[in-house]
Amino acid sequence: MKCPPQRTAVLVIDMQNDFCSPAGAMATLGADVGVNADLARRLPGFLDPARAAGCLVVWVRQAAHDQLVSPARRARAEAMGRSPLSVCAAGSWGAELADGLRPAPGDCHLEKTRYSAFVGTPLHNLLRAHERDHVVVVGTAANVCVDSTVREAYMADLAVTLPTDMVGWTRPDLAEPAIRNLGFYFCETTTSAELLSGWSAEARAT
């Protein structure tokens, strides 16, 4: 896939305290957030050169609002043993970006209330406004919000790339088959190093 960085948006999905910190909600509920915490430490090393190459960075954060929780969503959360407001409650410390993640001037920010970054948000409009028809999806979780966002992007006829070393999870048994499935049906899978190398080569050629 040949998608120049000037047409690319990097969607950073749910890299928040409740998913990444050992003091966050997911860890408190018993999940292993080690992969997400490691990703939070490594992510700036990918985002900085992606910005320098010309990519638009879009920070997408989950926010749980009591007024927006449907009976179906409440029942699903309760079936998993938690309140629908227990993770990334709007305005809470848990909903803030994980420690060490600092957006740069020119980055964009979106709040979502569903798994997909496209549902109920102006993401489609934002991408059109910035003339981006290729998205690179990074963040967590591979089998939930990353999966939902990749599928939605593909259904919207966007080119989609998933750098598998820039994706986190708390359930490897669910995440690893999800990544394989996404790479077969919905997106190109690669590594962050391969993406950055391709963008660097393109810059040298021009």
Side-chain angles (χ1 to χ4, degrees):
M1 185 182 295
K2 299 292 185 181
C3 293
Q6 294 79 13
R7 287 171 43 202
T8 298
V10 180
L11 308 183
V12 185
I13 307 296
D14 293 358
M15 292 301 294
Q16 297 159 270
N17 286 320
D18 271 351
F19 297 116
C20 302
S21 170
M26 292 301 294
T28 301
L29 289 165
D32 182 354
V33 300
V35 172
N36 291 338
D38 177 66
L39 175 58
R41 289 188 289 270
R42 294 186 293 106
L43 192 56
F46 172 67
L47 294 180
D48 288 343
R51 287 189 194 94
C55 295
L56 175 72
V57 174
V58 183
W59 298 88
V60 183
R61 306 186 211 190
Q62 183 75 19
H65 297 265
D66 188 49
Q67 300 92 334
L68 298 176
V69 178
S70 68
R73 285 175 61 80
R74 191 176 302 277
R76 192 68 245 138
E78 291 172 354
M80 291 187 284
R82 60 179 185 245
S83 160
L85 302 179
S86 62
V87 180
C88 291
S92 70
W93 169 84
E96 295 175 4
L97 289 176
D99 189 36
L101 295 179
R102 295 179 178 84
D107 290 354
C108 296
H109 302 266
L110 290 176
E111 179 183 284
K112 66 181 175 67
T113 61
R114 298 295 186 266
Y115 290 150
S116 169
F118 290 91
V119 174
T121 78
L123 182 52
H124 285 296
N125 290 341
L126 186 153
L127 295 174
R128 282 193 292 268
H130 288 269
E131 299 183 323
R132 309 287 163 148
D133 55 9
H134 172 226
V135 295
V136 173
V137 183
V138 302
T140 197
N143 54 300
V144 189
C145 295
V146 168
D147 181 284
S148 298
T149 298
V150 167
R151 288 168 183 257
E152 192 97 9
Y154 172 79
M155 299 299 183
D157 296 328
L158 294 167
V160 189
T161 301
L162 186 69
T164 57
D165 60 317
M166 288 291 137
V167 178
W169 57 77
T170 59
R171 291 281 305 269
D173 58 321
L174 300 178
E176 290 166 1
I179 290 171
R180 290 196 299 271
N181 187 62
L182 288 173
F184 189 81
Y185 285 105
F186 300 103
C187 66
E188 178 179 10
T189 55
T190 185
T191 67
S192 59
E194 289 172 340
L195 272 174
L196 294 177
S197 176
W199 292 334
S200 177
E202 182 175 316
R204 291 194 300 271
T206 58

